[in-house]
Amino acid sequence: MTAESLTMPRRLTPVPAAPEPAVSNTRLAIVIVITAETMLFTGLIGMYLVFRLSAPEWPPPDLPRLPATVAALNTLVLFASLVPLTRALTAVRRGDVAGRRGVHLAAALGTIFLAVQGAEWVRLLRHGLTPGSSNYGGAFYLLIGCHAMHVLVAVLWLATVAVLTERGYFSARRYAGFEMSTIYWYFVCGLWGFLFPLVYLY
Amino acid sequence: MRPAASRLLLVLAALLASALLLPGHVLAQGCAMCGTAFNHDDPVARAFNWSVLFLIAMPYTVFALAAGWLFLAHRRRSGRRRADVIVLRRTQAADGPEESPP
């Protein structure tokens, strides 16, 4: 018996590729993060509802009213950022290089939202609405401030994605980071769509 | 019946019997703070009621949304796999029958 006859025959059929999961790990991770964030905001909104519904007069008569008009315009700015970002994600998935710049615009609009909100906060603080002034001020700054922190994180994430896009990091086969930042931005905008009418209009 | 299973049944029956012996109004009283500290028309009690309802509803809503999304993703995925198999069979049929090994 020769050594050649003992060797295993060469495998001619290709090894089948492992089946792709229905939900990728990155998508599952961002869903878990968003679920946890939703529960955090559920607790804060529950706190706000207790103060809001138990107060005989809301807002208290000696404290300034919230700037609903400016906040409404700011809401439009925030929601407008969804359009270029969605187009940019579609362009990345298709492998279209030119259409990816929407993420820059979305990050810029998010920065404008934060800047306007910061300016309004400074104005409110000067008019006497501080976190320690009443339950009204405390609940407002805690709830809206927590959302603003999330917007800040999302804007920083979008800015990072914009830099990586400029360097050609994303492609039609590799766009998980881009998609995750977009989903997180959707969450931040959707949350504001709930918080704005609750805090500013109700 | 095995002795472990009969013991478990006995414990459950004892728990059920002890629960039935408790007065009914104690079971229906609920939280001591909400039940006794506030009046019926107290706005604070109303605020707590709405807040508790919201806090109860949200986990179920979030869980249902996430589970529904996962279910749809799996269904879409299995439908895509079936479509791939049909395309492969049609391609094989168009190429002709496979040659049998000698």
Side-chain angles (χ1 to χ4, degrees):
Chain A
M1 190 177 282
T2 61
E4 282 180 12
S5 64
L6 287 173
T7 55
M8 291 290 287
R10 194 183 291 171
R11 188 172 189 155
L12 298 175
T13 52
V15 180
E20 199 179 320
V23 176
S24 66
N25 290 342
T26 46
R27 277 190 186 179
L28 204 55
I30 199 72
V31 166
I32 290 169
V33 167
I34 286 175
T35 304
E37 300 277 21
T38 306
M39 293 319 298
L40 166 72
F41 277 96
T42 299
L44 292 176
I45 291 168
M47 170 272 301
Y48 182 83
L49 283 176
V50 169
F51 288 143
R52 169 72 184 83
L53 295 173
S54 61
E57 199 173 349
W58 192 268
D62 53 336
L63 288 173
R65 302 288 182 271
L66 296 177
T69 312
V70 177
L73 293 173
N74 217 13
T75 305
L76 288 180
V77 169
L78 189 67
F79 287 170
S81 67
L82 292 173
V83 179
L85 191 60
T86 307
R87 285 185 177 170
L89 179 62
T90 312
V92 168
R93 281 175 176 159
R94 278 199 312 248
D96 177 15
V97 180
R100 298 176 186 181
R101 294 285 168 83
V103 67
H104 298 71
L105 184 57
L109 288 171
T111 310
I112 291 171
F113 174 84
L114 279 177
V116 171
Q117 208 168 44
E120 285 303 317
W121 276 31
V122 171
R123 231 160 54 93
L124 285 170
L125 287 168
R126 281 183 186 154
H127 281 84
L129 184 68
T130 60
S133 59
S134 66
N135 287 341
Y136 176 59
F140 168 76
Y141 284 113
L142 184 59
L143 192 53
I144 302 299
C146 201
H147 178 263
M149 283 301 294
H150 282 75
V151 175
L152 178 64
V153 170
V155 164
L156 290 174
W157 195 357
L158 285 182
T160 310
V161 166
V163 171
L164 290 174
T165 305
E166 282 297 317
R167 292 180 182 172
Y169 181 80
F170 299 108
S171 66
R173 296 183 64 81
R174 186 171 68 172
Y175 56 83
F178 201 111
E179 194 179 49
M180 295 311 103
S181 64
T182 308
I183 292 173
Y184 192 69
W185 189 253
Y186 286 160
F187 164 69
V188 165
C189 293
L191 186 62
W192 182 251
F194 187 77
L195 289 180
F196 169 66
L198 178 72
V199 175
Y200 285 85
L201 304 179
Y202 177 51
Chain B
M1 193 181 286
R2 290 186 307 181
S6 60
R7 209 177 306 138
L8 181 66
L9 272 179
L10 194 65
V11 169
L12 285 175
L15 281 174
L16 187 65
S18 58
L20 288 174
L21 286 175
L22 291 171
H25 68 273
V26 172
L27 287 174
Q29 193 172 8
C31 165
M33 281 302 292
C34 301
T36 55
F38 301 118
N39 296 325
H40 184 65
D41 292 330
D42 198 332
V44 180
R46 196 164 50 90
F48 269 108
N49 280 340
W50 280 109
S51 179
V52 166
L53 276 177
F54 176 75
L55 290 172
I56 286 175
M58 274 310 280
Y60 291 105
T61 309
V62 169
F63 180 78
L65 285 174
W69 172 68
L70 283 173
F71 175 72
L72 284 178
H74 275 280
R75 260 189 75 174
R76 217 177 294 141
R77 175 76 188 156
S78 58
R80 212 178 299 149
R81 271 189 199 152
R82 274 199 297 273
D84 289 346
V85 168
I86 291 167
V87 168
L88 184 63
R89 280 187 183 157
R90 281 182 184 159
T91 313
Q92 284 174 346
D95 290 345
E98 284 182 13
E99 290 177 8
S100 57

